[in-house]
Amino acid sequence: MESPPSPPLGGNRDFTKLWLGQAISTLGSRTSYVAYPLLVLAITGSPAKAGLVGFVRQLPLFLFQLPAGALADRWDRRQLMIACDAGRALAMASLAGALLLGQVSLVQIVVAAFLEGSLNVAFRPAETGALKQLVPPRDLSTAIAANEARDNAAYLAGPSLGGVFFALTSAAPFLADAASYVISLVALLRIRQPFQQKREAQSRPLHREIVEGLFWVRRQPFLRAALLLAGGSNLVSNALALLVIIVARQRGASPTTVGLMLTLVAVGGLAGAVATPTLRRHVPTRLLILGVPWLYAALIPTLALVPDALPLGAIFGVMTFLGPAWNAVVGGFAIMITPDHLQSRCSSIDSLLSGAGIAIAPLAAGFLLSAFSATAAIAALAALALVVALGGSASRALREPPAPGEATA
């Protein structure tokens, strides 16, 4: 007997629960994202230390990403995600409690950022692996676009909330983040479908499973090149994100104004997410993939000419417009061609290669601003963006992107 047809995405209750839980969780994370550098600057006055905390939050990407993907393919993905939400809620609540008691130190901020970053690393590949089980193949690209819209809407509201909350009390953004993780945990508990196919317990060493995933990605030329391009682009964009926050503060912008500036950045991403279906229909895939770094290279130099925070955010927002379409093309391709037992490992390799730039970016931006003027730091990022754009255009795999059916088995 054939199984009944799966419901359309709008009627898929389990996907909706996951989507809503992650929407609230992402909103909480973006609320605390802007609070971290504001808090470190308030305590130490050092851009380098603000960059150091941002780096520590991303450091687990290098340390734990590949093992996390292998474990998410081996363990129950739902239980792993629930444990991560519980741990992240405790980490943020402890930081908020220390702030309310007036006993917070830079060391505690670093520890909380590292714990949250480590659990983020464990959560993400499990979520990506679960998506293919909750959503039928025909709806995967739509689901990815919906996730992009969800994330960018959180990016739109989160920084403004973070700035407003931080202006009220420095603990408020971290309390909000802790509450968002609890809500995400409850949503996960209410999902009925399994998050992976049935499989036998693994007895192989973990490192062999990691190597299996690495070799699989290595045999996908387009995917491998796209992830390397993403790593370079993410280094540029995330260094720029911290740079504009610190530059705006140095020029006298209030925490609320910084939040509004980042809201303008998110407007660009949200507009791009809404436009993604149209862009995918009318813009060649090659142009979408190669266009992101060239857009960065063209617009970053203009940031040196803008004196105020809100115009900085508007220009940065234009730069983020093509990001959701890029993610939908590359992310949808990766999920479609990857077997279930390799989904989380492929996602972890994706996060490691494309996210390495995210981890390095805060440290690079902090030290650039400590060693050079704002104009010189912007010029350095513009030069790096040009190098990334030239490298992407030189890749034959990216100039000739394949259809999903052309992937190597």
Side-chain angles (χ1 to χ4, degrees), residues 222-295:
F222 168 76
L223 188 58
R224 184 178 66 244
L227 296 181
L228 292 173
L229 178 66
S233 297
N234 286 341
L235 171 58
V236 173
S237 62
N238 284 270
L240 195 62
L242 181 60
L243 186 147
V244 296
I245 291 174
I246 295 174
V247 167
R249 288 291 282 162
Q250 290 177 341
R251 294 175 179 175
S254 68
T256 301
T257 301
V258 171
L260 290 174
M261 176 187 69
L262 296 180
T263 296
L264 291 177
V265 178
V267 167
L270 181 58
V274 173
T276 290
T278 301
L279 290 172
R280 292 191 65 192
R281 285 195 302 268
H282 299 291
V283 179
T285 299
R286 179 177 65 177
L287 183 58
L288 277 177
I289 293 170
L290 298 178
V292 171
W294 282 110
L295 186 63

Side-chain angles (χ1 to χ4, degrees), residues 175-357:
L175 281 174
D177 197 11
S180 75
Y181 287 133
V182 173
I183 294 172
S184 171
L185 187 156
V186 172
L188 291 171
L189 289 172
R190 294 178 61 84
I191 295 175
R192 297 180 179 179
Q193 293 186 60
F195 282 19
Q196 67 274 319
Q197 296 175 356
K198 292 182 178 180
R199 60 177 66 99
E200 297 180 0
Q202 296 289 338
S203 57
R204 293 184 298 168
L206 189 65
H207 73 273
R208 293 190 62 182
E209 296 182 32
I210 294 173
V211 170
E212 181 184 10
L214 288 168
F215 270 92
W216 191 89
V217 172
R218 183 176 178 273
R219 292 195 297 268
Q220 313 299 328
F222 168 76
L223 188 58
R224 184 178 66 244
L227 296 181
L228 292 173
L229 178 66
S233 297
N234 286 341
L235 171 58
V236 173
S237 62
N238 284 270
L240 195 62
L242 181 60
L243 186 147
V244 296
I245 291 174
I246 295 174
V247 167
R249 288 291 282 162
Q250 290 177 341
R251 294 175 179 175
S254 68
T256 301
T257 301
V258 171
L260 290 174
M261 176 187 69
L262 296 180
T263 296
L264 291 177
V265 178
V267 167
L270 181 58
V274 173
T276 290
T278 301
L279 290 172
R280 292 191 65 192
R281 285 195 302 268
H282 299 291
V283 179
T285 299
R286 179 177 65 177
L287 183 58
L288 277 177
I289 293 170
L290 298 178
V292 171
W294 282 110
L295 186 63
Y296 288 175
L299 291 182
I300 288 175
T302 66
L303 297 174
L305 307 175
V306 177
D308 298 322
L310 296 184
L312 282 174
I315 294 172
F316 200 178
V318 174
M319 293 169 56
T320 65
F321 180 76
L322 290 180
W326 196 99
N327 290 335
V329 170
V330 176
F333 179 84
I335 292 176
M336 285 289 292
I337 68 173
T338 305
D340 177 69
H341 72 281
L342 288 170
Q343 279 287 338
S344 295
R345 274 171 282 180
C346 181
S347 174
S348 69
I349 295 166
D350 177 336
S351 296
L352 181 61
L353 293 179
S354 66

Side-chain angles (χ1 to χ4, degrees), residues 155-177:
Y155 297 165
L156 176 63
S160 293
L161 285 175
V164 171
F165 286 174
F166 190 87
L168 294 173
T169 171
S170 57
F174 303 102
L175 281 174
D177 197 11

Side-chain angles (χ1 to χ4, degrees), residues 9 14-24 26-27 123-124 127-132 134-135 139-155 269-270 272-274 276 323-325 327-328 331-332 335:
L9 191 62
D14 285 336
F15 172 76
T16 300
K17 292 170 187 174
L18 178 64
W19 189 93
L20 288 173
Q22 290 313 297
I24 295 171
T26 306
L27 177 60
F123 188 95
R124 289 169 187 159
E127 180 192 6
T128 302
L131 189 62
K132 194 172 183 179
L134 301 181
V135 177
D139 289 331
L140 272 175
S141 61
T142 305
I144 293 172
N147 287 347
E148 288 289 328
R150 172 199 73 191
D151 292 346
N152 281 283
Y155 297 165
L270 181 58
V274 173
T276 290
N327 290 335
I335 292 176

